[in-house]
Amino acid sequence: MAYLYLVRHGETLLNADDRVNGGTVDSPLTAKGVASARALGELLGNVHFDRIISSPLPRALATTKLVVGADVPIVTDRRLREMTLGDWDGLPVAMIANDAEFHHFNEHLDAFDPAPMHAEPIPELWQRGQAALRAAVAGVPDDGRVLVVAHAIILTLLARVLTGTTTIDASRVDGELANTSVTVLQTDQTEWTKLAWEVTPDRADQLSVDQLRLFN
C-alpha cells in the first residue's frame, strides 16, 4: 500500500484577488504563498519521498521546489494541470457568481455544462486526474511515499471521490482544498483510504498520534 501526499499549490496573485485560477492562466505565488510553501516543506522535511510529481503549471512547480528544494528531481505530468475553465479563467469570481452554471459548478457538477464558457468537461478532468494518480503510485514499493503537487479543483475532486467521501456531483459542495495543504491517502490502486485531510502547517498540532507518524 503506497502513501500519496496531495498538496495544493501556494496562494497566487489570482487567488488573493479572488479570480478564477484555472488551467489556462497562471500568476506568481504571493509572499504568503511562498512562506506557507516553505513552512509545509518544514512539516514534510522528515518524509522520504520515492517519487515527486508536479503539475507543469508554474505555480505548482514553484510550490514543489519550495517544499522539497530546488535541486531535488521533480517529474511533471500534464494530466495534473488544473481544469481549464475557458472564458472564466482569470475573471473576478464576483463577475460570474450569479451565473447558473457557476452555481452548478459549485453545487451540482452533474448539471454543469462546460460549453458556454468553453471549459473542460468534468468526465475528462476525472479521467485524466485518476489516471495521473494511478501512474504516480505504480511500481512504488509497499509503504512507499509519493508527493503530488497540483491544484484545487482537480485535487478536491480526486481526493473526495476516490476515497468514497462523496460523489462527483457533490464533490465541490464543501469547498476546495486549502492552498498549501496536504491530504494523505493510502492506496493499492483499488482502495483509496483517507489518512489525513487538508493539513496545513499551522494546524499540525491538531494531528492525532497516528497522523503524526505520516510526517516522520
Side-chain angles (χ1 to χ4, degrees), residues 13-197:
L13 294 177
L14 286 174
N15 292 147
D17 288 343
D18 199 24
R19 290 176 177 267
V20 179
N21 203 20
T24 63
V25 291
D26 198 78
S27 62
L29 301 184
T30 62
K32 176 182 176 182
V34 170
S36 59
R38 286 176 174 154
L40 185 60
E42 292 180 8
L43 178 63
L44 295 172
N46 292 325
V47 181
H48 169 73
F49 290 109
D50 298 276
R51 194 173 290 164
I52 298 168
I53 307 170
S54 174
S55 156
L57 292 179
R59 59 188 182 268
L61 269 173
T63 300
T64 308
K65 291 176 182 179
L66 288 166
V67 170
V68 301
D71 298 326
V72 175
I74 299 167
V75 175
T76 59
D77 188 336
R78 281 186 49 79
R79 293 172 295 185
L80 292 170
R81 67 193 186 280
E82 184 58 295
M83 178 183 178
T84 296
L85 286 165
D87 300 338
W88 282 357
D89 270 345
L91 292 180
V93 171
M95 284 185 62
I96 58 174
N98 295 322
D99 189 318
E101 290 306 330
F102 189 66
H103 172 74
H104 291 153
F105 180 64
N106 288 309
E107 304 291 338
H108 189 19
L109 269 185
D110 285 353
F112 174 67
D113 181 3
M117 74 295 299
H118 309 100
E120 180 179 8
I122 296 299
E124 291 183 12
L125 176 70
W126 166 250
Q127 289 300 326
R128 68 172 168 88
Q130 187 180 184
L133 292 194
R134 294 187 187 282
V137 297
V140 173
D142 283 347
D143 296 330
R145 301 186 184 194
V146 177
L147 176 67
V148 169
V149 181
H151 308 271
I153 301 168
I154 187 170
L155 288 183
T156 300
L157 173 71
L158 292 169
R160 288 185 174 145
V161 178
L162 285 172
T163 58
T165 303
T166 187
T167 61
I168 290 178
D169 184 46
S171 60
R172 291 182 52 78
V173 171
D174 292 328
E176 298 173 340
L177 295 174
N179 284 113
T180 343
S181 66
V182 55
T183 292
V184 185
L185 310 182
Q186 188 177 33
T187 183
D188 59 4
Q189 296 202 54
T190 300
E191 299 292 330
W192 301 75
T193 304
K194 177 174 64 178
L195 301 180
W197 188 265

